[in-house]
Amino acid sequence: MNTGTGKTALITGASSGIGQELAKLFAQDGYNLVLVARSDDKLDRLAEVFKSNYGTQEITVIGKDLATEDAAQDVYNQVKAKDITVDVLVNDAGVGLYGLFATDTDWEREKAMIHLNVLTVTQMTKLFLYDMLARNEGKILNLASLLSITPTPLMAVYAGTKAYVYNFTQSLINELKDTNVTITALLPNATDTDFFNKAGAENTKVTDEVQDPVMVAKAGYDALMAGKSKVVPGGFKNKSYEVLSYVAPQETLAAVMRDKMSQKPEPEEKEPTISLAWGIGFGIAVIAGIALTIGYKNTSDFQKAKYRYKVKSAGNSLSDTLSSVLDTVVETVVDAYQNTKAKAEQIVAKTEDVEEEIAA
């Protein structure tokens, strides 16, 4: 049982998924909590668990549908009325919607999603950031997504809202650079929560590779506490996706994401040849991305510029694009080899020395 830090974290979307796991981490570290979600009952039960398991001293529950007009202002007013100082703001609440934008999706649901994912996040940030700057102390975590940096057919509006969150966050980081207030963007890949069910995307291919929300929350929490600008949980694979999103042509990324967001084939059906081709192509691209993450930082500025130019000059067709990217990556890694070889040899030598000491 902890003694408390005297600080308070406000978490939206705290009743489930990543938000609940983040709330748990704050509780474990002795923070008082303000938990915000639509379901009062779920939040009340969660509050009892935190008080029992972690000795959380003060927990305020605010049941609020954040997709409604001026919901953020109402939450802020309730917090101020209780004389609570919010030291950490976590904008986790968000929803998605699956389908073809022109024909499948409902405008009212999209409008509510834009309100929640964009307007509420922006207003919550504005209200609490003002107070943080007055104290010159505070932290904010905004839930973006890997989809915030890549076009995503079949979830076009959702990806657009997350692109806003990511760009908004990175812009504020620059505005806050001379203060003691930090803001962090969390960019997870598909995560094992109820998100896909609520979005109507429960049978999409991407759900076969969902990640543990406990891992995602811990990565976000650690990055927030360290004052980092962003974090992509999930290791090399997701890092390679991030790198590719910055350098690969948008047409290629859109086609890859269209396949990942498509429905799983029926067991008796054979997947179309084009899906297999995209799968192979994307696998190659991931390998290329991993190679790039190793070699790119050790490459000269000239080679980096040369690399970016070649990628932008790639053709629109998949075969030409992948060929150009792979050729360029290979060339980049080869050019970087001389710079990385010595470092690699040093690491191997140190490892061998440690092994010899253990054996002795």
Side-chain angles (χ1 to χ4, degrees):
M1 184 173 292
N2 59 58
T3 57
T5 64
K7 294 185 176 182
T8 299
L10 186 156
I11 303 101
T12 68
S15 61
S16 63
I18 298 171
Q20 180 175 308
E21 296 302 330
L22 283 164
K24 184 185 300 182
L25 292 170
F26 282 107
Q28 289 173 345
D29 278 355
Y31 278 77
N32 296 321
L33 302 174
V34 178
L35 306 178
V36 184
R38 287 184 298 177
S39 173
D40 295 74
D41 292 341
K42 288 184 179 179
L43 293 179
D44 286 336
R45 289 195 295 271
L46 195 61
E48 290 304 316
V49 170
F50 288 164
K51 288 178 180 178
S52 174
N53 291 354
Y54 310 119
T56 308
Q57 296 178 353
E58 296 181 17
I59 300 180
T60 301
V61 167
I62 299 178
K64 189 70 179 178
D65 182 355
L66 294 175
T68 57
E69 190 70 24
D70 286 328
Q73 184 69 59
D74 184 55
V75 170
Y76 178 78
N77 291 345
Q78 290 190 51
V79 169
K80 297 295 285 186
K82 296 178 185 295
D83 197 27
I84 297 173
T85 297
V86 172
D87 300 282
V88 182
L89 170 65
V90 177
N91 286 311
D92 172 79
V95 294
L97 185 61
Y98 178 80
L100 293 169
F101 173 73
T103 57
D104 294 348
T105 54
D106 174 70
W107 167 243
E108 292 302 319
R109 289 187 64 186
E110 284 170 330
K111 183 168 66 172
M113 175 171 60
I114 293 169
H115 198 115
L116 174 59
N117 293 6
V118 175
L119 293 180
T120 296
V121 168
T122 306
Q123 192 175 16
M124 289 283 286
T125 301
K126 191 173 190 69
L127 292 168
F128 287 101
L129 178 59
Y130 186 87
D131 292 343
M132 290 179 182
L133 285 175
R135 303 190 306 269
N136 196 27
E137 182 182 21
K139 295 180 181 295
I140 299 175
L141 179 67
N142 286 337
L143 191 72
S145 167
L146 269 182
L147 300 190
S148 68
I149 53 177
T150 184
T152 308
L154 300 177
M155 293 195 78
V157 178
Y158 172 77
T161 64
K162 290 303 180 178
Y164 170 85
V165 171
Y166 179 70
N167 194 292
F168 171 63
T169 303
Q170 297 306 309
S171 298
L172 291 186
I173 287 168
N174 178 267
E175 293 185 11
L176 299 172
K177 63 183 178 66
D178 295 323
T179 75
N180 291 325
V181 179
T182 63
I183 184 166
T184 303
L186 173 57
L187 283 72
N189 203 338
T191 307
D192 189 12
T193 67
D194 202 33
F195 171 85
F196 289 99
N197 292 328
K198 292 179 178 177
E202 63 275 10
N203 196 44
T204 53
K205 294 178 183 178
V206 72
T207 58
D208 286 337
E209 36 184 273
V210 291
Q211 301 179 125
D212 183 1
V214 175
M215 178 275 293
V216 172
K218 184 64 166 63
Y221 186 82
D222 290 345
L224 171 71
M225 291 304 168
K228 294 182 178 179
S229 63
K230 66 177 179 180
V231 60
V232 179
F236 248 173
K237 181 180 179 181
N238 288 341
K239 288 289 186 182
S240 69
Y241 289 159
E242 181 193 12
V243 172
L244 285 171
S245 73
Y246 297 143
V247 298
Q250 293 295 292
E251 294 86 351
T252 299
L253 292 172
V256 169
M257 293 308 298
R258 174 65 181 268
D259 182 68
K260 290 174 75 66
M261 293 307 303
S262 64
Q263 295 287 309
K264 298 175 186 177
E266 295 297 329
E268 66 274 10
E269 291 182 3
K270 184 177 181 181
E271 284 199 65
T273 304
I274 188 169
S275 296
L276 178 60
W278 273 116
I280 295 172
F282 193 67
I284 294 172
V286 170
I287 294 172
I290 292 172
L292 181 58
T293 60
I294 296 173
Y296 189 76
K297 289 184 178 180
N298 296 296
T299 306
S300 68
D301 291 339
F302 173 76
Q303 289 297 335
K304 288 178 181 177
K306 181 179 177 183
Y307 174 81
R308 289 193 294 268
Y309 172 78
K310 286 193 174 185
V311 170
K312 289 180 180 179
S313 301
N316 289 330
S317 71
L318 173 62
S319 58
D320 288 344
T321 298
L322 288 177
S323 176
S324 175
V325 171
L326 289 175
D327 288 344
T328 307
V329 169
V330 170
E331 182 180 357
T332 301
V333 173
V334 169
D335 290 342
Y337 175 75
Q338 296 301 325
N339 292 328
T340 59
K341 180 180 178 183
K343 293 182 180 179
E345 290 176 344
Q346 290 174 3
I347 293 173
V348 171
K350 289 180 179 179
T351 301
E352 291 175 347
D353 290 340
V354 171
E355 290 176 346
E356 290 176 359
E357 290 177 4
I358 292 174

